[in-house]
Amino acid sequence: NHVRRIHRLYDGGNVRRLTYGDGRYYAPAWSPRGDLIAFVKEMRGRFHIGVIDPEGNEERILTDSFMDDSPSWSPNGRVILFG
């Protein structure tokens, strides 16, 4: 079982792990405003779109369907598009 997490690389080369929850995380997408990171989280055979702040706080799962994937942001950073 391969575990996937999201990490952030800071200036100076420091790396910080942002995700700690159950499931596998992938496809991170920064908002144009830089205040949130959208991602896909796979849990129990379902794929969800979620967001987290750049410091790894306040993870929120936004969708609850079977196969949500590939999040991307609208230019103003207010809407997340996904397939």
Side-chain angles (χ1 to χ4, degrees):
N1 191 2
H2 184 67
V3 177
R4 294 182 186 172
R5 303 287 183 225
I6 297 174
H7 295 78
R8 179 176 175 189
L9 177 63
Y10 290 88
D11 290 338
N14 294 325
V15 176
R16 179 176 178 181
R17 182 174 161 183
L18 300 182
T19 56
Y20 288 89
D22 293 336
R24 292 195 266 176
Y25 297 80
Y26 62 95
W30 281 86
S31 73
R33 299 184 292 186
D35 60 336
L36 291 172
I37 303 167
F39 58 84
V40 176
K41 182 175 185 177
E42 178 188 355
M43 283 184 6
R44 296 182 213 71
R46 295 175 70 98
F47 296 80
H48 310 277
I49 302 296
V51 293
I52 197 164
D53 76 21
E55 298 304 316
N57 302 311
E58 301 181 28
E59 177 182 315
R60 291 180 286 153
I61 300 300
L62 305 176
T63 66
D64 186 26
S65 60
F66 181 68
M67 189 75 168
D68 297 334
D69 202 4
S70 304
S72 62
W73 293 87
S74 64
N76 67 6
R78 297 181 70 194
V79 176
I80 300 172
L81 310 167
F82 58 93

